[in-house]
Structures are given as C-alpha cells and as structure tokens.
mmCIF file of all heavy atoms in Angstrom:
data_model
loop_
_atom_site.group_PDB
_atom_site.id
_atom_site.type_symbol
_atom_site.label_atom_id
_atom_site.label_comp_id
_atom_site.label_asym_id
_atom_site.label_seq_id
_atom_site.Cartn_x
_atom_site.Cartn_y
_atom_site.Cartn_z
ATOM 1 N N LYS A 1 13.052 1.791 -3.571
ATOM 2 C CA LYS A 1 12.759 1.396 -2.219
ATOM 3 C C LYS A 1 11.871 2.421 -1.469
ATOM 4 O O LYS A 1 10.948 2.043 -0.765
ATOM 5 C CB LYS A 1 14.108 1.215 -1.445
ATOM 6 C CG LYS A 1 13.850 0.688 -0.039
ATOM 7 C CD LYS A 1 15.205 0.424 0.661
ATOM 8 C CE LYS A 1 14.966 -0.110 2.068
ATOM 9 N NZ LYS A 1 16.265 -0.362 2.759
ATOM 10 N N ASN A 2 12.149 3.742 -1.639
ATOM 11 C CA ASN A 2 11.346 4.720 -0.949
ATOM 12 C C ASN A 2 9.915 4.761 -1.465
ATOM 13 O O ASN A 2 8.964 5.029 -0.691
ATOM 14 C CB ASN A 2 11.988 6.086 -1.000
ATOM 15 C CG ASN A 2 12.097 6.635 -2.418
ATOM 16 O OD1 ASN A 2 12.005 5.893 -3.401
ATOM 17 N ND2 ASN A 2 12.328 7.941 -2.516
ATOM 18 N N VAL A 3 9.726 4.471 -2.696
ATOM 19 C CA VAL A 3 8.372 4.380 -3.268
ATOM 20 C C VAL A 3 7.601 3.147 -2.713
ATOM 21 O O VAL A 3 6.449 3.235 -2.382
ATOM 22 C CB VAL A 3 8.430 4.308 -4.828
ATOM 23 C CG1 VAL A 3 7.081 3.949 -5.421
ATOM 24 C CG2 VAL A 3 8.965 5.634 -5.375
ATOM 25 N N GLN A 4 8.325 2.041 -2.599
ATOM 26 C CA GLN A 4 7.717 0.844 -2.046
ATOM 27 C C GLN A 4 7.394 1.055 -0.546
ATOM 28 O O GLN A 4 6.376 0.438 -0.067
ATOM 29 C CB GLN A 4 8.665 -0.352 -2.225
ATOM 30 C CG GLN A 4 8.823 -0.745 -3.688
ATOM 31 C CD GLN A 4 9.230 -2.194 -3.853
ATOM 32 O OE1 GLN A 4 8.716 -3.048 -3.186
ATOM 33 N NE2 GLN A 4 10.160 -2.449 -4.779
ATOM 34 N N THR A 5 8.165 1.871 0.129
ATOM 35 C CA THR A 5 7.902 2.140 1.534
ATOM 36 C C THR A 5 6.588 2.930 1.660
ATOM 37 O O THR A 5 5.777 2.641 2.568
ATOM 38 C CB THR A 5 9.039 2.945 2.167
ATOM 39 O OG1 THR A 5 10.257 2.145 2.085
ATOM 40 C CG2 THR A 5 8.739 3.312 3.607
ATOM 41 N N VAL A 6 6.348 3.876 0.760
ATOM 42 C CA VAL A 6 5.089 4.620 0.756
ATOM 43 C C VAL A 6 3.939 3.619 0.571
ATOM 44 O O VAL A 6 2.924 3.702 1.272
ATOM 45 C CB VAL A 6 5.049 5.661 -0.330
ATOM 46 C CG1 VAL A 6 3.702 6.279 -0.474
ATOM 47 C CG2 VAL A 6 6.092 6.760 -0.062
ATOM 48 N N PHE A 7 4.098 2.703 -0.373
ATOM 49 C CA PHE A 7 3.042 1.756 -0.645
ATOM 50 C C PHE A 7 2.774 0.857 0.586
ATOM 51 O O PHE A 7 1.615 0.680 0.937
ATOM 52 C CB PHE A 7 3.397 0.861 -1.862
ATOM 53 C CG PHE A 7 2.393 -0.188 -2.131
ATOM 54 C CD1 PHE A 7 1.108 0.139 -2.535
ATOM 55 C CD2 PHE A 7 2.694 -1.541 -2.030
ATOM 56 C CE1 PHE A 7 0.183 -0.832 -2.830
ATOM 57 C CE2 PHE A 7 1.790 -2.516 -2.288
ATOM 58 C CZ PHE A 7 0.520 -2.165 -2.717
ATOM 59 N N ALA A 8 3.809 0.398 1.225
ATOM 60 C CA ALA A 8 3.626 -0.495 2.394
ATOM 61 C C ALA A 8 2.943 0.268 3.523
ATOM 62 O O ALA A 8 2.025 -0.268 4.206
ATOM 63 C CB ALA A 8 4.999 -0.971 2.855
ATOM 64 N N ASN A 9 3.279 1.553 3.722
ATOM 65 C CA ASN A 9 2.608 2.346 4.770
ATOM 66 C C ASN A 9 1.156 2.600 4.409
ATOM 67 O O ASN A 9 0.276 2.590 5.325
ATOM 68 C CB ASN A 9 3.321 3.678 4.920
ATOM 69 C CG ASN A 9 4.716 3.503 5.570
ATOM 70 O OD1 ASN A 9 4.939 2.556 6.256
ATOM 71 N ND2 ASN A 9 5.587 4.441 5.310
ATOM 72 N N LEU A 10 0.853 2.774 3.148
ATOM 73 C CA LEU A 10 -0.523 3.008 2.720
ATOM 74 C C LEU A 10 -1.358 1.747 2.860
ATOM 75 O O LEU A 10 -2.535 1.788 3.294
ATOM 76 C CB LEU A 10 -0.553 3.509 1.293
ATOM 77 C CG LEU A 10 -1.848 4.148 0.778
ATOM 78 C CD1 LEU A 10 -2.350 5.213 1.749
ATOM 79 C CD2 LEU A 10 -1.597 4.727 -0.631
ATOM 80 N N VAL A 11 -0.800 0.593 2.535
ATOM 81 C CA VAL A 11 -1.482 -0.682 2.694
ATOM 82 C C VAL A 11 -1.881 -0.860 4.143
ATOM 83 O O VAL A 11 -3.025 -1.237 4.468
ATOM 84 C CB VAL A 11 -0.581 -1.842 2.242
ATOM 85 C CG1 VAL A 11 -1.141 -3.169 2.698
ATOM 86 C CG2 VAL A 11 -0.440 -1.787 0.690
ATOM 87 N N LYS A 12 -0.918 -0.566 5.069
ATOM 88 C CA LYS A 12 -1.209 -0.680 6.492
ATOM 89 C C LYS A 12 -2.270 0.296 6.939
ATOM 90 O O LYS A 12 -3.184 -0.045 7.697
ATOM 91 C CB LYS A 12 0.061 -0.483 7.252
ATOM 92 C CG LYS A 12 -0.053 -0.650 8.754
ATOM 93 C CD LYS A 12 1.298 -0.520 9.431
ATOM 94 C CE LYS A 12 1.163 -0.697 10.975
ATOM 95 N NZ LYS A 12 2.472 -0.513 11.655
ATOM 96 N N PHE A 13 -2.179 1.534 6.504
ATOM 97 C CA PHE A 13 -3.109 2.557 6.910
ATOM 98 C C PHE A 13 -4.509 2.283 6.399
ATOM 99 O O PHE A 13 -5.503 2.471 7.121
ATOM 100 C CB PHE A 13 -2.624 3.943 6.394
ATOM 101 C CG PHE A 13 -3.545 5.055 6.668
ATOM 102 C CD1 PHE A 13 -3.835 5.437 8.002
ATOM 103 C CD2 PHE A 13 -4.147 5.786 5.652
ATOM 104 C CE1 PHE A 13 -4.714 6.486 8.241
ATOM 105 C CE2 PHE A 13 -5.024 6.820 5.911
ATOM 106 C CZ PHE A 13 -5.288 7.191 7.250
ATOM 107 N N TRP A 14 -4.639 1.814 5.175
ATOM 108 C CA TRP A 14 -5.910 1.499 4.636
ATOM 109 C C TRP A 14 -6.530 0.179 5.124
ATOM 110 O O TRP A 14 -7.682 -0.098 4.926
ATOM 111 C CB TRP A 14 -5.840 1.467 3.100
ATOM 112 C CG TRP A 14 -5.973 2.784 2.413
ATOM 113 C CD1 TRP A 14 -6.366 3.970 2.994
ATOM 114 C CD2 TRP A 14 -5.788 3.073 1.049
ATOM 115 N NE1 TRP A 14 -6.426 4.961 2.064
ATOM 116 C CE2 TRP A 14 -6.054 4.442 0.841
ATOM 117 C CE3 TRP A 14 -5.347 2.299 -0.063
ATOM 118 C CZ2 TRP A 14 -5.955 5.069 -0.400
ATOM 119 C CZ3 TRP A 14 -5.206 2.929 -1.294
ATOM 120 C CH2 TRP A 14 -5.535 4.295 -1.481
ATOM 121 N N SER A 15 -5.686 -0.652 5.709
ATOM 122 C CA SER A 15 -6.103 -1.987 6.156
ATOM 123 C C SER A 15 -6.698 -2.798 5.041
ATOM 124 O O SER A 15 -7.768 -3.391 5.146
ATOM 125 C CB SER A 15 -7.148 -1.881 7.298
ATOM 126 O OG SER A 15 -6.619 -1.196 8.376
ATOM 127 N N LEU A 16 -5.953 -2.780 3.901
ATOM 128 C CA LEU A 16 -6.327 -3.586 2.728
ATOM 129 C C LEU A 16 -5.199 -4.544 2.377
ATOM 130 O O LEU A 16 -4.039 -4.331 2.772
ATOM 131 C CB LEU A 16 -6.545 -2.669 1.539
ATOM 132 C CG LEU A 16 -7.765 -1.695 1.582
ATOM 133 C CD1 LEU A 16 -7.704 -0.760 0.354
ATOM 134 C CD2 LEU A 16 -9.078 -2.466 1.602
ATOM 135 N N ASP A 17 -5.557 -5.584 1.645
ATOM 136 C CA ASP A 17 -4.452 -6.459 1.142
ATOM 137 C C ASP A 17 -3.743 -5.748 0.023
ATOM 138 O O ASP A 17 -4.238 -4.756 -0.544
ATOM 139 C CB ASP A 17 -4.999 -7.810 0.677
ATOM 140 C CG ASP A 17 -5.894 -7.706 -0.555
ATOM 141 O OD1 ASP A 17 -5.387 -7.353 -1.614
ATOM 142 O OD2 ASP A 17 -7.113 -7.953 -0.386
ATOM 143 N N GLU A 18 -2.536 -6.163 -0.278
ATOM 144 C CA GLU A 18 -1.674 -5.482 -1.223
ATOM 145 C C GLU A 18 -2.316 -5.358 -2.628
ATOM 146 O O GLU A 18 -2.205 -4.299 -3.264
ATOM 147 C CB GLU A 18 -0.296 -6.135 -1.336
ATOM 148 C CG GLU A 18 0.582 -5.942 -0.075
ATOM 149 C CD GLU A 18 1.941 -6.477 -0.309
ATOM 150 O OE1 GLU A 18 2.125 -7.375 -1.181
ATOM 151 O OE2 GLU A 18 2.892 -5.979 0.351
ATOM 152 N N ASN A 19 -2.955 -6.373 -3.076
ATOM 153 C CA ASN A 19 -3.518 -6.340 -4.424
ATOM 154 C C ASN A 19 -4.643 -5.302 -4.549
ATOM 155 O O ASN A 19 -4.719 -4.561 -5.513
ATOM 156 C CB ASN A 19 -4.038 -7.732 -4.837
ATOM 157 C CG ASN A 19 -2.929 -8.668 -5.173
ATOM 158 O OD1 ASN A 19 -2.183 -8.475 -6.116
ATOM 159 N ND2 ASN A 19 -2.783 -9.731 -4.389
ATOM 160 N N ASN A 20 -5.536 -5.282 -3.555
ATOM 161 C CA ASN A 20 -6.617 -4.279 -3.590
ATOM 162 C C ASN A 20 -6.035 -2.876 -3.454
ATOM 163 O O ASN A 20 -6.522 -1.944 -4.134
ATOM 164 C CB ASN A 20 -7.629 -4.568 -2.490
ATOM 165 C CG ASN A 20 -8.522 -5.720 -2.814
ATOM 166 O OD1 ASN A 20 -8.729 -6.070 -3.955
ATOM 167 N ND2 ASN A 20 -9.052 -6.367 -1.775
ATOM 168 N N ALA A 21 -5.110 -2.693 -2.574
ATOM 169 C CA ALA A 21 -4.507 -1.373 -2.389
ATOM 170 C C ALA A 21 -3.806 -0.916 -3.647
ATOM 171 O O ALA A 21 -3.899 0.241 -4.038
ATOM 172 C CB ALA A 21 -3.521 -1.371 -1.223
ATOM 173 N N PHE A 22 -3.105 -1.821 -4.274
ATOM 174 C CA PHE A 22 -2.370 -1.468 -5.534
ATOM 175 C C PHE A 22 -3.382 -1.021 -6.597
ATOM 176 O O PHE A 22 -3.129 -0.064 -7.325
ATOM 177 C CB PHE A 22 -1.596 -2.706 -6.030
ATOM 178 C CG PHE A 22 -0.824 -2.454 -7.276
ATOM 179 C CD1 PHE A 22 0.360 -1.745 -7.256
ATOM 180 C CD2 PHE A 22 -1.265 -2.953 -8.507
ATOM 181 C CE1 PHE A 22 1.071 -1.537 -8.429
ATOM 182 C CE2 PHE A 22 -0.531 -2.761 -9.688
ATOM 183 C CZ PHE A 22 0.641 -2.056 -9.643
ATOM 184 N N SER A 23 -4.503 -1.728 -6.723
ATOM 185 C CA SER A 23 -5.527 -1.363 -7.705
ATOM 186 C C SER A 23 -6.044 0.039 -7.439
ATOM 187 O O SER A 23 -6.238 0.825 -8.362
ATOM 188 C CB SER A 23 -6.644 -2.393 -7.636
ATOM 189 O OG SER A 23 -7.697 -2.079 -8.552
ATOM 190 N N LEU A 24 -6.319 0.350 -6.158
ATOM 191 C CA LEU A 24 -6.827 1.687 -5.817
ATOM 192 C C LEU A 24 -5.783 2.759 -6.096
ATOM 193 O O LEU A 24 -6.130 3.803 -6.594
ATOM 194 C CB LEU A 24 -7.246 1.714 -4.364
ATOM 195 C CG LEU A 24 -8.412 0.823 -3.941
ATOM 196 C CD1 LEU A 24 -8.823 1.161 -2.471
ATOM 197 C CD2 LEU A 24 -9.609 0.924 -4.845
#
C-alpha cells in the first residue's frame, strides 16, 4: 500500500496518466 501511495502521488505530480507514469 505505501508503495502504491508513492506511485499515486507521483502520477499526480507529473500530471500523467497511470500507464505512462508507470512506464517512466
């Protein structure tokens, strides 16, 4: 859960959709 929270925050900060953010 804490790892997914980091990802969610990064997606929001980068202003990218989840798939593109995950790839980066």
Side-chain angles (χ1 to χ4, degrees):
K1 184 176 180 180
N2 62 343
V3 169
Q4 295 204 40
T5 298
V6 173
F7 177 64
N9 290 335
L10 194 52
V11 167
K12 183 177 179 180
F13 176 63
W14 274 350
S15 299
L16 293 174
D17 66 68
E18 288 188 335
N19 284 297
N20 284 336
F22 181 77
S23 177
L24 297 189

